[in-house]
């Protein structure tokens, strides 16, 4: 089953060609136009998606040895949550291609897709499991009884962890988006010099709050803190909060596997601490490689493959629309059933 998957929910334009859950070819183009503005400019993101997407599709098809869309069995695109204008570019392209080729279309939930990067791999997730989704737009904890039952336990009450990383990086002159740059700066700093608060740190509480931490970092920076020391404290504080809550949930739930996904899972300290803690607790850890932590289309294709394994006739109507926010409690790969 050949799936052509498209992801345009934010500022990465991505296309993947899959055979079931296996990647045949994939491309991600990270838009650079936003860095000079210090944040994502939605209209510029939509325009860039329109410009970049057709070329990426051509490259992926070429690498997959295909001349046109004839050999594609299913078309899938992220329907939301995300930036409406950006989503509409990938969604409209994918729906039109499916209609023209006379093949099914699937509108995919972006949050589910991040977790589905772990679907259909040689090492299978053993349930029950807990999952941490931690990106630029979201920070949430889920309990998973199976791939069909993914239940939200709690989310951030204000900023997402990636957003806090980006804002702190920007404040300290590390550019935008600066999560990865702050991670590198933190490697040269001492995390014990700058004292930062740990908001909502109770491990039993499956909710997060990062805006106070960002403000505290601002005060320390204005007070003359060293960039690398501040970055190291900030990174350690965020990682401690994320990991302690995830491990608490895993114990409470009797989890056998721990899943992590989303852009912040590219963070080197988060990866290291998760590996240590899961090894100590004898838990199977599923961590995406760095390339597939941030937005990509392979995860969208795997979410589509999973939906089709559950129901081979699954499809979304062509009326499937983009949506900016997800406010459900049970996560499913198809956004528009
Ligand atoms: O999953 P993603 O590509 O997009 C969303 O769905 O939001 O995540 C992007 C986020 C950005 O906030 C970026 O700064 C953050 O992931 N990020 C990192 C690192 N690499 C990317 N944050 C901390 N450390 C990193 N190494
Ligand atoms: Zn994402």
């Amino acid at each position: 089953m050949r799936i052509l998957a498209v992801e345009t929910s934010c500022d990465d334009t991505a296309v993947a060609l899959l055979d079931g859950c296996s990647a045949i070819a994939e491309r991600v183009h990270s838009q650079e136009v936003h860095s000079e503005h210090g944040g994502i400019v939605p209209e510029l993101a939509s325009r860039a998606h329109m410009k970049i997407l057709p070329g990426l599709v051509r490259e992926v098809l070429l690498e997959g040895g295909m001349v046109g869309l004839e050999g594609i069995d299913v078309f899938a695109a992220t329907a939301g949550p995300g930036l409406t204008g950006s989503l509409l570019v990938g969604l409209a392209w994918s729906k039109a291609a499916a209609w023209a080729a006379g093949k099914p279309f699937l509108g995919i939930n972006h949050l589910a897709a991040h977790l589905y990067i772990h679907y259909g791999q040689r090492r299978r997730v053993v349930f029950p499991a807990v999952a941490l989704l931690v990106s630029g737009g979201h920070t949430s904890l889920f309990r998973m009884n199976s791939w069909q039952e993914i239940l939200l336990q709690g989310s951030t009450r204000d900023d997402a962890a990636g957003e806090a990383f980006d804002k702190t990086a920007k404040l300290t002159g590390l550019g935008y988006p600066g999560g990865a740059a702050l991670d590198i700066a933190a490697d040269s700093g001492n995390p014990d010099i700058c004292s930062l608060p740990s908001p909502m740190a109770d491990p039993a509480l499956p909710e997060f709050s990062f805006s106070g931490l960002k403000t505290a970092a601002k005060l320390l920076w204005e007070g003359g803190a060293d960039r690398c020391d501040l970055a190291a404290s900030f990174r350690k504080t965020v990682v401690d909060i994320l990991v302690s809550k995830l491990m608490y949930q895993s114990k409470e739930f009797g989890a056998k596997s721990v899943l992590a996904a989303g852009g912040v899972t590219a963070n080197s300290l988060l990866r290291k601490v998760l590996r240590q803690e899961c090894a100590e607790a004898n838990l199977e850890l599923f961590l995406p490689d760095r390339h597939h932590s941030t937005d990509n289309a392979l995860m969208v294709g795997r979410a589509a493959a999973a939906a089709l394994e559950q129901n081979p006739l699954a499809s979304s109507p062509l009326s499937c629309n983009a949506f900016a926010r997800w406010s459900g409690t049970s996560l499913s790969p198809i956004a528009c059933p």
Side-chain angles (χ1 to χ4, degrees):
M1 158 112 34
R2 294 216 159 189
I3 302 169
L4 188 64
V6 172
E7 156 64 41
T8 61
S9 68
C10 194
D11 61 339
D12 293 313
T13 318
V15 180
L17 176 64
L18 296 88
D19 182 11
C21 288
S22 308
I24 298 172
E26 58 172 321
R27 294 283 186 284
V28 180
H29 177 107
S30 297
Q31 303 173 2
E32 271 157 24
V33 58
H34 309 286
S35 58
E36 67 198 68
H37 298 279
I40 295 167
V41 184
E43 176 61 14
L44 294 182
S46 314
R47 287 185 210 171
H49 285 308
M50 288 201 290
K51 203 167 149 195
I52 296 155
L53 181 61
L56 292 192
V57 171
R58 266 194 302 277
E59 284 179 29
V60 160
L61 290 177
L62 202 67
E63 195 180 318
M66 301 173 75
V67 262
L69 298 175
E70 288 77 35
I72 305 294
D73 299 304
V74 175
F75 292 82
T78 306
L83 299 173
T84 311
S86 288
L87 288 163
L88 283 171
V89 177
L91 198 57
W93 187 92
S94 194
K95 288 196 287 184
W99 182 77
K103 292 289 164 59
F105 160 75
L106 287 174
I108 299 295
N109 180 307
H110 181 77
L111 305 184
H114 268 299
L115 299 183
Y116 272 84
I117 193 70
H118 300 298
Y119 182 84
Q121 302 309 290
R122 198 173 304 154
R123 195 164 62 95
R124 303 271 158 165
V125 174
V126 184
F127 296 100
V130 290
L132 171 71
L133 173 60
V134 64
S135 70
H138 302 90
T139 303
S140 302
L141 283 167
F142 295 90
R143 287 186 179 189
M144 300 174 72
N145 287 317
S146 66
W147 279 111
Q148 286 77 45
E149 209 180 330
I150 308 176
L151 306 169
L152 180 69
Q153 299 305 299
S155 294
T156 179
R157 291 200 185 166
D158 41 57
D159 290 354
E163 186 181 356
F165 264 102
D166 290 338
K167 287 179 178 167
T168 305
K170 187 174 166 187
L171 167 82
T172 53
L174 290 165
Y176 184 90
L182 191 145
D183 191 12
I184 293 167
D187 286 341
S188 312
N190 179 344
D192 301 321
I193 290 179
C194 300
S195 172
L196 283 167
S198 288
M200 285 178 87
D202 178 2
L205 191 65
E207 289 179 314
F208 305 85
S209 168
F210 293 112
S211 77
L213 181 58
K214 180 192 69 190
T215 309
K218 184 169 187 280
L219 290 176
L220 283 170
W221 177 249
E222 287 167 357
D226 174 76
R227 178 185 285 131
C228 295
D229 291 340
L230 183 56
S233 293
F234 183 85
R235 179 175 72 170
K236 184 173 184 303
T237 306
V238 174
V239 167
D240 283 350
I241 293 170
L242 294 174
V243 176
S244 64
K245 287 177 190 263
L246 180 62
M247 297 316 285
Y248 182 90
Q249 285 294 318
S250 79
K251 211 167 167 191
E252 274 292 295
F253 192 41
K256 295 190 171 118
S257 309
V258 168
L259 283 75
V264 179
T265 58
N267 187 272
S268 53
L269 184 66
L270 180 59
R271 297 176 81 82
K272 187 174 148 196
V273 177
L274 277 177
R275 284 190 179 116
Q276 278 167 355
E277 297 263 338
C278 287
E280 270 168 33
N282 210 11
L283 289 162
E284 283 282 330
L285 173 65
F286 292 80
L287 201 53
D289 60 61
R290 279 204 160 97
H291 204 62
H292 294 105
S293 292
T294 46
D295 288 347
N296 64 89
L298 181 60
M299 66 188 199
V300 176
R302 286 195 180 146
L308 289 162
E309 266 178 36
Q310 284 162 32
N311 172 13
L313 297 178
S315 76
S316 297
L318 293 182
S319 56
C320 175
N321 215 343
F323 60 98
R325 296 191 186 287
W326 179 75
S327 53
T329 50
S330 173
L331 202 54
S332 125
I334 306 190
C336 310

